[in-house]
Amino acid sequence: MSNPDENKPGGGRDWSVIVEDGVAKTNEPVSSAVAEPEAATRRHEPHEPPRQHLPEKLYEPRKAVHNKRIDGPFRRFKWLVMLVTLGIYYITPWIRWDRGPYAPDQAVLVDLANRRFYMFNIEIWPHEFYFVAGLLIMAGIGLFLVTSAVGRAWCGYACPQTVWTDVFQHVDRFVDGDRNARLRLDAEPWTWNKVMRRALKWTIYLFIGFWTGGAWIMYFADAPTLVYDFWRGEAAPVAYITVAILTLTTVTLGGFMREQVCIYMCPWPRIQTAMMDEKSLLVTYKDWRGEPRGSVKKAQRSPDKFGDCIDCTQCVQVCPTGIDIREGPQIGCITCGLCIDACDRVMADIGRPRGLIDYATLEDCEREAAGGEVKSPLRTLLRPRTIAYFMIWAGIGGALLFALGNRSHTELTVAPDRNPPFMLLSDGSVRNSYTLKLRNMESRPRDMEIVVEGLPGAVMWTDTIGRNQSAPTQTVTVPADLVRQVRAYVAVPKGAASQQFTFRVTSLDEQRETDTVQTRFDAPENE
């Protein structure tokens, strides 16, 4: 196809035709039936109006966010939450907790090999997974409670993505300087100074990511032993694979993607919008007070024409996601409050009242704009919706605590043999066989007494106790923190009928815990 510039007299450019990758694409009406496939995005049907704008890209490339250092109440609270959460994550695996000689001494441990979860004095067994389910439900309702009360405060302070992004942003400031210095360094060509700074910064990234992945695997094995084996190359392959994957994801998500995870990848902001209403506290720019914007000098010359906002963009410069809060509520706002600190400082410097950007509800904003009195924060938080969430959350927590405090550490399960259901012995008596599982949830061995109840004349023996020692009651020892399987045989005299009876197990210690299971004894029908 010829160059469109050659079609115009004098070589003038025909702007209705665009040449892209050697293919002419026109904005004139051309039927899609005859349009070339490469030009499909540039064509339109003859009955359609001409396209005034021909987009060159489907999305805008990411612009790096270099937020400015700020100090204030919300920044200090953010520091506190970050130190507490990171301290809990990195230090917890090293805390010791004495559970006796038969149990691990790590305070928090997910023992996958033995299917146990330990948290200080609490030990969760696989059949008690409802405790874990209850904690997950509490976590979900807790998020609903926080969101309905103070918006995306979880995202702004305690979300792992936010915490680690904050850490990496502080690394950027430590290596490259504050915002302006980082912007200049980004614009510079790749000199040795830039290469060395990038190498140092990315090395610190890798160290943080490696330490994050290393701390994670310590929750699944004894931390000192695992660290020793890890550096000697004797740990399980899954440990090295897990650390490598978590190092990569931590550096990628926290070091490079950052706000993109919050804006594009995370589903939680979309869910949160359904839980917020006009009574939820949000970080809000009070446009009726700040608009129209103007500098301090303009406001001094015409005080009645300009609002309090001097368009200094400090609120934008400190935002960790790079949004402009003055454009209204948006999905990129994580409700961290750093823009409030920045704006309050500017208002103090120019002698105007604080609160141009503040935590406020939409109801209070409308009331304040009309000159009315706003509610106190306590009254705002104590409303039916948040109280209902709190009552549900507290009710589930109370039920879990009650179940945890009243659970028995001795349990019995019984499985009768079905093939054959009974056996006739040489003396005419009838025998049934059962598989008993005795669960000892204490971190010490315990003797347990097994009793047959409700079956007249019955005697019992096991695979370790011979028939010559048969009796209605037998005693077995169950190891610490284990389930012992016992093969039990129950016999009754000749002429007994099929009937229900009970196995009762009792721990022979000071606790005297008991569990009972009702089962069936099968016998031949009497003729």
Side-chain angles (χ1 to χ4, degrees):
M1 185 176 291
S2 61
N3 191 322
D5 291 347
E6 299 175 355
N7 298 332
K8 301 291 290 183
R13 175 67 186 270
D14 183 358
W15 293 102
S16 67
V17 180
I18 298 175
V19 176
E20 186 175 289
D21 298 330
V23 178
K25 301 178 180 181
T26 179
N27 200 38
E28 294 302 318
V30 178
S31 173
S32 60
V34 298
E36 297 182 11
E38 296 87 351
T41 57
R42 301 291 186 178
R43 307 290 179 134
H44 58 280
E45 299 293 337
H47 63 275
E48 294 179 348
R51 297 178 181 176
Q52 301 300 322
H53 175 66
L54 301 177
E56 295 292 334
K57 298 177 181 179
L58 296 178
Y59 62 91
E60 183 180 9
R62 175 181 182 257
K63 297 178 182 178
V65 176
H66 297 296
N67 62 324
K68 185 177 181 180
R69 180 187 291 110
I70 189 65
D71 185 36
F74 293 101
R75 175 64 261 187
R76 289 191 287 270
F77 182 67
K78 195 173 176 67
W79 271 112
L80 175 63
V81 174
M82 183 179 71
L83 293 175
V84 170
T85 52
L86 290 179
I88 291 174
Y89 177 74
Y90 289 118
I91 296 174
T92 299
W94 298 94
I95 300 175
R96 302 293 98 183
W97 195 264
D98 185 13
R99 299 186 181 91
Y102 301 98
D105 64 349
Q106 187 162 308
V108 178
L109 177 65
V110 181
D111 189 355
L112 295 178
N114 296 305
R115 297 184 297 174
R116 303 284 188 278
F117 172 60
Y118 299 93
M119 179 178 285
F120 300 98
N121 271 339
I122 301 174
E123 179 183 354
I124 304 299
W125 286 56
H127 70 285
E128 297 177 316
F129 190 79
Y130 55 85
F131 285 113
V132 179
L135 289 176
L136 293 176
I137 294 173
M138 286 187 66
I141 296 176
L143 284 176
F144 299 164
L145 171 61
V146 171
T147 301
S148 64
V150 289
R152 295 180 63 187
W154 159 261
C155 297
Y157 296 98
C159 174
Q161 174 65 23
T162 297
V163 172
W164 265 275
T165 295
D166 205 15
V167 171
F168 284 117
Q169 288 175 338
H170 289 304
V171 172
D172 292 349
R173 294 191 187 97
F174 173 75
V175 176
D176 297 335
D178 203 8
R179 182 174 186 270
N180 292 335
R182 299 201 301 277
L183 290 172
R184 288 194 300 268
L185 187 63
D186 277 358
E188 289 180 5
W190 281 91
T191 62
W192 276 110
N193 174 60
K194 185 172 182 177
V195 170
M196 294 302 293
R197 286 181 180 273
R198 288 291 186 266
L200 174 59
K201 182 171 69 173
W202 293 342
T203 300
I204 299 175
Y205 283 5
L206 286 173
F207 174 80
I208 295 173
F210 175 77
W211 193 249
T212 301
W216 176 257
I217 64 174
M218 294 178 194
Y219 285 90
F220 298 87
D222 183 67
T225 304
L226 179 58
V227 170
Y228 180 79
D229 292 341
F230 188 91
W231 289 109
R232 285 173 58 90
E234 299 174 356
V238 68
Y240 298 100
I241 296 172
T242 302
V243 171
I245 293 174
L246 290 180
T247 300
L248 176 63
T249 54
T250 303
V251 171
T252 302
L253 300 180
F256 296 102
M257 297 188 68
R258 297 187 180 179
E259 77 286 346
Q260 290 183 304
V261 176
C262 302
I263 298 175
Y264 301 111
M265 294 175 61
C266 181
W268 186 236
R270 282 83 179 167
I271 299 173
Q272 283 179 316
T273 55
M275 291 180 288
M276 294 186 293
D277 54 22
E278 66 280 357
K279 299 179 184 294
S280 301
L281 282 171
L282 305 172
V283 175
T284 306
Y285 168 67
K286 301 176 181 178
D287 55 349
W288 70 90
R289 173 183 158 186
E291 302 295 329
R293 307 168 195 171
S295 65
V296 176
K297 291 182 179 180
K298 290 182 179 179
Q300 288 175 346
R301 289 195 299 266
S302 303
D304 297 333
K305 293 184 179 181
F306 298 97
D308 285 348
C309 180
I310 62 174
D311 205 17
C312 62
T313 71
Q314 291 296 305
C315 56
V316 181
Q317 295 179 32
V318 301
C319 180
T321 59
I323 68 163
D324 189 345
I325 191 63
R326 297 172 298 176
E327 295 177 357
Q330 48 201 292
I331 202 168
C333 179
I334 59 174
T335 320
C336 61
L338 298 186
C339 54
I340 301 177
D341 288 336
C343 188
D344 286 350
R345 173 179 289 187
V346 173
M347 292 297 104
D349 291 340
I350 64 177
R352 296 179 185 176
R354 68 161 302 277
L356 177 60
I357 302 176
D358 205 357
Y359 268 101
T361 67
L362 295 179
E363 277 190 351
D364 284 344
C365 287
E366 294 178 358
R367 192 178 295 110
E368 185 177 353
E373 184 179 355
V374 300
K375 295 180 181 179
S376 66
L378 182 61
R379 287 182 59 194
T380 302
L381 294 176
L382 295 179
R383 58 192 182 96
R385 187 172 182 175
T386 57
I387 293 174
Y389 279 138
F390 178 78
M391 296 299 293
I392 296 173
W393 181 84
I396 296 174
L400 290 177
L401 289 175
F402 178 81
L404 190 65
N406 289 275
R407 68 173 179 169
S408 174
H409 292 76
T410 301
E411 290 189 8
L412 170 67
T413 58
V414 178
D417 285 359
R418 295 303 181 191
N419 189 20
F422 61 87
M423 290 188 65
L424 294 175
L425 303 182
S426 57
D427 60 358
S429 59
V430 183
R431 190 197 78 183
N432 282 195
S433 302
Y434 302 87
T435 299
L436 310 182
K437 290 184 179 180
L438 308 176
R439 181 179 286 115
N440 176 20
M441 298 172 61
E442 291 284 347
S443 56
R444 54 186 171 84
R446 292 198 294 174
D447 291 334
M448 295 189 183
E449 181 183 72
I450 308 172
V451 181
V452 175
E453 298 178 344
L455 194 59
V459 293
M460 174 178 51
W461 65 96
T462 69
D463 48 0
T464 58
I465 302 173
R467 185 179 180 185
N468 57 337
Q469 296 178 292
S470 61
T473 300
Q474 298 291 350
T475 300
V476 297
T477 300
V478 183
D481 206 31
L482 286 175
V483 176
R484 178 175 175 180
Q485 184 170 300
V486 176
R487 183 72 171 167
Y489 306 96
V490 177
V492 298
K494 181 179 179 180
S498 299
Q499 58 187 298
Q500 298 289 327
F501 75 102
T502 300
F503 278 108
R504 177 183 297 275
V505 62
T506 304
S507 61
L508 301 180
D509 55 8
E510 65 280 359
Q511 293 174 281
R512 301 293 294 182
E513 292 181 329
T514 299
D515 192 19
T516 59
V517 174
Q518 190 176 61
T519 186
R520 177 178 176 81
F521 185 89
D522 291 316
E525 295 182 3
N526 295 325
E527 296 182 358

